[in-house]
Amino acid sequence: MILTVTLNTALDITYRVPALAPHASHRVTDVAERPGGKGLNVARVLAALGHETVVTGFAGGPCGAVLRDLLAPLPPVDALVPVAGRTRRTVAVVDAATGDTTQLNEPGPAVTPEEWAAFLTTYAELLGDADAVALCGSLPPGIHVGAYAELIRRARTAGVPVLLDTSGEPLRRGIAARPDLVKPNADELARLTGSRDPLRAAYDARRRGAHTVVASLGPDGMLAATPDGLWRAAPPAKVRGNPTGAGDSAVAGLLSGLVEGLPWPRRLARAVALSAATVLAPAAGEFDAATYEDLLPRVEVTAQATAA
């Protein structure tokens, strides 16, 4: 079983408009609601790849109830912990004329110390059956900034490989707890290390405690700095569409490859192909299967000799 943790789950709402213009009224042509948050997106992709997945985190209020209703018929098992506060909404506005997406993210519910303690009990129980765990996304109000570092230490004590996908101070503190894998994008990595060179920044992040660093380079693919070497993976062509959730699909590719024991070149090829195929999907947590199957054997993965 693969466990994904989304402390700040969301009800994802996607509006599609013919063209998005500031200071104007818009007629929405399509509305979609989906259970969201990075870890839930990761879990849905993992389930589509055939892996048993369990999702945990927090859900509360009317939006949390809708989220759980939408999650109920899907393959990921719901182990979310109830809270008194209201689960946030994330609103994506897709401009049909350009394909661009504008994202609006609410902050999330305030989590009490008692609710955090209840989550830790659930997390400890789930770790007992987990082959790997992914810690994903932002922290809701009330959760201490070292929360991911605490969860990493608990996973390591339980002998469960752990992937961290967050940003800012939670990423900085989480890396110090020595996760097996972190997956920042190039901007997050630059803010963490102060270096705009992804290669140098990835090696710096490894020195800070991460066992392996996989940097997302957007449409240019991924860079992986591992104990076994350095690889770069690039799609055969840039894919234009909605990039929301592409990083989450990459996490699913990396995590599934870890659990399956794939060598790094195959893990990276899967992650890059899934990420590109998600750009063509209607929403995060989904990918275009035909595009994925077409791209997977054509992703170029090369070993890099340069060391920092």
Side-chain angles (χ1 to χ4, degrees):
M1 177 269 282
I2 299 177
L3 174 65
T4 73
V5 175
T6 311
L7 297 178
N8 210 6
T9 57
L11 178 62
D12 284 349
I13 302 169
T14 302
Y15 294 136
R16 296 184 182 275
V17 299
L20 183 62
H23 317 299
S25 177
H26 296 79
R27 186 174 298 278
V28 176
T29 58
D30 182 68
V31 181
E33 287 186 334
R34 289 176 174 82
K38 293 179 72 63
L40 268 69
N41 296 336
V42 171
R44 290 170 62 196
V45 174
L46 284 168
L49 293 172
H51 286 273
E52 179 188 357
T53 58
V54 176
V55 296
T56 191
F58 297 108
C63 287
V66 173
L67 183 153
R68 300 188 83 165
D69 286 344
L70 293 170
L71 189 60
L74 300 177
V77 175
D78 177 358
L80 297 170
V81 175
V83 292
R86 190 189 75 177
T87 293
R88 65 187 178 132
R89 295 165 294 185
T90 63
V91 179
V93 183
V94 180
D95 184 328
T98 65
D100 293 335
T101 300
T102 299
Q103 191 86 14
L104 305 173
N105 298 328
E106 294 181 355
V111 176
T112 67
E114 293 76 17
E115 290 165 342
W116 175 244
F119 167 79
L120 290 178
T121 298
T122 296
Y123 181 66
E125 293 171 351
L126 293 171
L127 281 177
D129 294 321
D131 298 310
V133 58
L135 309 174
C136 305
S138 61
L139 299 177
I143 298 296
H144 64 95
V145 73
Y148 282 138
E150 180 178 357
L151 298 184
I152 290 166
R153 287 191 291 267
R154 288 174 179 250
R156 287 176 58 83
T157 299
V160 179
V162 56
L163 180 153
L164 176 63
D165 183 17
T166 188
S167 60
E169 190 61 22
L171 174 61
R172 186 183 307 276
R173 297 200 186 192
I175 281 181
R178 306 187 67 80
D180 295 89
L181 174 62
V182 295
K183 194 218 68 66
N185 61 38
D187 288 339
E188 292 163 349
L189 199 55
R191 287 194 293 271
L192 173 72
T193 65
S195 174
R196 299 299 304 182
D197 176 0
L199 174 60
R200 186 173 298 277
Y203 274 107
D204 188 349
R206 285 202 66 218
R207 285 191 290 266
R208 292 167 185 249
H211 188 68
T212 292
V213 178
V214 178
S216 174
L217 308 177
D220 294 324
M222 309 186 86
L223 176 74
T226 83
D228 300 322
L230 177 71
W231 285 272
R232 186 157 187 161
K238 294 184 179 181
V239 179
R240 184 173 179 80
N242 179 6
T244 305
D248 303 332
S249 291
V251 168
L254 294 171
L255 205 57
S256 62
L258 183 156
V259 169
E260 294 171 29
L262 298 182
W264 270 107
R266 291 182 60 190
R267 295 189 207 182
L268 290 171
R270 179 182 290 182
V272 168
L274 281 170
S275 180
T278 297
V279 172
L280 296 179
E286 301 175 6
F287 61 93
D288 185 89
T291 300
Y292 169 65
E293 295 294 340
D294 174 64
L295 289 177
L296 182 59
R298 299 193 294 124
V299 174
E300 183 180 0
V301 183
T302 55
Q304 307 288 293
T306 306

